[in-house]
Amino acid sequence: MDFALTEEQQMIVETVRGFVETEIYPHENEVERTGIVPKELGQEITRKCKDLGFFACNMPEEVGGAGLDHQTFTLVERELGRGSMGLTVFFGRPSGILMACNDEQREKYLIPAVKGEKFDALAMTEPDAGSDVRGMKCFAKPDGDDWIVNGTKHFISHANIADFVIVFIATSEEETPRGPKKKITCFLVDRGTPGFEIRNGYDSVSHRGYKNCILSFDDCRLPSSAILGEVHKGFDIANDWLYATRITVAATCVGRARRVFDYALPYAAERKQFGKPIGANQGVSFKLADMITEIDAADYLTLAAAWRLDQKLPANREIASAKLYASEMLARVTDEAIQIYGGMGLMDDLPLARFWRDARVERIWDGTSEIQRHIISRDLLRPLGA
């Protein structure tokens, strides 16, 4: 395992970081103030991303993407993590689940998503089914060659800009030794489909401008051609997606933490109290030492997990460890950065309070910290029969 960046990877890192600093940073304060990303601004970010050749860089070359490997794409996500998610979402990374599209679906969904002609969103969570995905109540019943869907999804990220949604819906139930278990099927649902509504979700303290939405299905009729993959086999597709999203969360947390550290370090060197820089005091200097150690550790955990995917090695535990550690690391680093700044750290003149608020959700979405610990401990104990 070699963590040294290739010349190409270094160029990608510098290019994406430059993009974030010039195209994202200048708009962050306004998005934070209003909670809104103007449509024209989102389109401009997408256009400039296309001009750079980075749109859909996570997708294989065979469908028009850049075909980056997991490790290199993780570097891209790390740099994007420095910026506001409400803005970087327009950088364009279609869901890898779309690679499961059949020929007809490729032309209608996959290819337009790769070209940036359509945006997708992914829906699994429900009001009564968060970590307990099998508890979902959104249900599709067969009706001839169609399916009739009823139910609600919520906390669906950026569905407000989506042209279609990748939705996981219960389609059957089976008895198991542990009780009834839902069988899940994945559907592709177009915005505007009769009986399907996308509406604004809840106001969040984290990632303002990056909207969550509520999806409602009221006797929504979907053809069998809308099924992605096979009936009752939605979890086979979902597992691949969860790998990618959890590495993305970890990488995002690392990028955000490095930006936070870039505020804390020079301030500690320049700010003087009692006639000397506050960084000369161990109360501050030791904080910096702990912060950079944790950031580097999270970075290496994340890159190692991505490397395992590239090597086609089992990576479930490693990905869970990266997501768990990086998300909790970001919370500690942002909190310590504010402590170093003192009262100014909480003022709107600086973005530290925003980073602090944004950090809170990272321990919840894409699998809570508790779920990650469950995955890790299960991976360790199952081989021993426990």
Side-chain angles (χ1 to χ4, degrees):
M1 191 184 307
D2 185 358
F3 288 118
L5 300 188
T6 65
E7 186 176 333
E8 180 184 11
Q9 287 174 328
Q10 187 61 46
M11 179 195 69
I12 288 172
V13 167
E14 291 172 359
T15 301
V16 178
R17 184 177 299 181
F19 183 93
V20 171
E21 290 176 348
T22 58
E23 305 298 337
I24 303 299
Y25 285 4
H27 304 288
E28 287 182 335
N29 288 342
E30 186 66 11
V31 170
E32 179 69 10
R33 186 182 68 82
T34 64
I36 296 171
V37 178
K39 183 178 180 180
E40 297 75 16
L41 176 57
Q43 292 174 336
E44 181 183 1
I45 292 171
T46 295
R47 179 184 60 78
K48 290 180 177 179
C49 176
K50 289 179 182 178
D51 290 344
L52 280 178
F54 275 93
F55 197 91
C57 61
N58 59 314
M59 303 300 279
E61 290 180 309
E62 67 194 66
V63 297
L68 298 185
D69 58 37
H70 288 97
Q71 202 167 18
T72 305
F73 182 60
T74 297
L75 295 171
V76 171
E77 291 286 16
R78 189 182 70 186
E79 297 309 314
L80 291 176
R82 290 173 172 266
S84 163
M85 288 187 70
L87 295 162
T88 59
V89 66
F90 293 97
F91 196 83
R93 291 91 81 205
S95 174
I97 290 179
L98 292 174
M99 289 303 297
C101 285
N102 58 34
D103 290 342
E104 181 181 338
Q105 292 168 340
R106 283 191 169 211
E107 294 304 314
K108 186 176 181 180
Y109 299 106
L110 174 61
I111 302 305
V114 171
K115 291 182 177 179
E117 297 168 355
K118 290 184 177 181
F119 270 87
D120 65 279
L122 205 144
M124 185 178 289
T125 302
E126 298 180 8
D128 294 319
S131 297
D132 179 17
V133 177
R134 295 282 189 181
M136 68 173 57
K137 296 178 181 177
C138 189
F139 205 92
K141 294 182 178 180
D143 183 40
D145 290 333
D146 296 339
W147 297 79
I148 307 301
V149 185
N150 284 283
T152 301
K153 299 286 182 181
H154 78 161
F155 292 155
I156 309 308
S157 298
H158 65 264
N160 59 304
I161 65 171
D163 299 286
F164 68 95
V165 184
I166 305 162
V167 189
F168 292 87
I169 301 171
T171 47
S172 184
E173 189 172 84
E174 62 180 344
E175 288 297 328
T176 73
R178 296 184 178 181
K181 183 177 74 171
K182 300 284 178 58
K183 293 183 178 180
I184 309 299
T185 302
C186 186
F187 290 84
L188 298 167
V189 186
D190 293 310
R191 176 185 288 275
T193 298
F196 172 55
E197 181 185 10
I198 302 174
R199 63 181 189 271
N200 290 334
Y202 317 97
D203 291 332
S204 174
V205 301
S206 297
H207 299 299
R208 289 176 180 164
Y210 186 72
K211 301 295 186 179
N212 69 83
C213 296
I214 297 171
L215 312 185
S216 297
F217 296 87
D218 184 7
D219 286 336
C220 177
R221 181 176 292 271
L222 299 176
S224 293
S225 59
I227 293 174
L228 182 63
E230 299 180 41
V231 175
H232 307 326
K233 297 293 182 67
F235 270 121
D236 293 346
I237 298 174
N239 286 335
D240 291 339
W241 162 66
L242 288 171
Y243 278 158
T245 59
R246 286 170 179 168
I247 286 184
T248 291
V249 171
T252 295
C253 289
V254 172
R256 183 61 57 92
R258 291 204 184 279
R259 184 176 176 189
V260 170
F261 190 78
D262 288 345
Y263 276 90
L265 180 61
Y267 185 80
E270 297 165 4
R271 168 73 166 165
K272 291 185 177 180
Q273 291 287 277
F274 303 106
K276 63 180 180 180
I278 60 173
N281 300 306
Q282 288 185 351
V284 173
S285 64
F286 282 15
K287 290 185 189 300
L288 295 170
D290 289 343
M291 289 162 72
I292 197 61
T293 299
E294 289 201 62
I295 293 170
D296 286 344
D299 205 357
Y300 295 145
L301 267 176
T302 304
L303 290 173
W307 177 86
R308 289 185 67 87
L309 285 182
D310 284 329
Q311 304 304 311
K312 303 190 184 307
L313 296 171
N316 198 27
R317 174 172 62 83
E318 289 79 6
I319 291 170
S321 294
K323 198 274 182 184
L324 169 67
Y325 187 78
S327 61
E328 297 196 347
M329 171 277 297
L330 179 60
R332 291 188 291 268
V333 166
T334 53
D335 190 74
E336 291 287 41
I338 288 173
Q339 194 68 19
I340 289 171
Y341 269 83
M344 278 305 299
L346 292 169
M347 301 299 109
D348 286 340
D349 300 68
L350 295 167
L352 294 178
R354 167 161 61 91
F355 299 153
W356 186 47
R357 285 187 285 101
D358 289 350
R360 188 59 188 88
V361 74
E362 308 296 349
R363 288 176 277 164
I364 297 174
W365 60 12
D366 293 293
T368 63
S369 288
E370 291 73 22
I371 287 294
Q372 305 311 316
R373 287 185 167 91
H374 172 69
I375 292 170
I376 296 163
S377 59
R378 185 181 59 185
D379 188 83
L380 294 172
L381 291 167
R382 272 190 174 174
L384 303 178

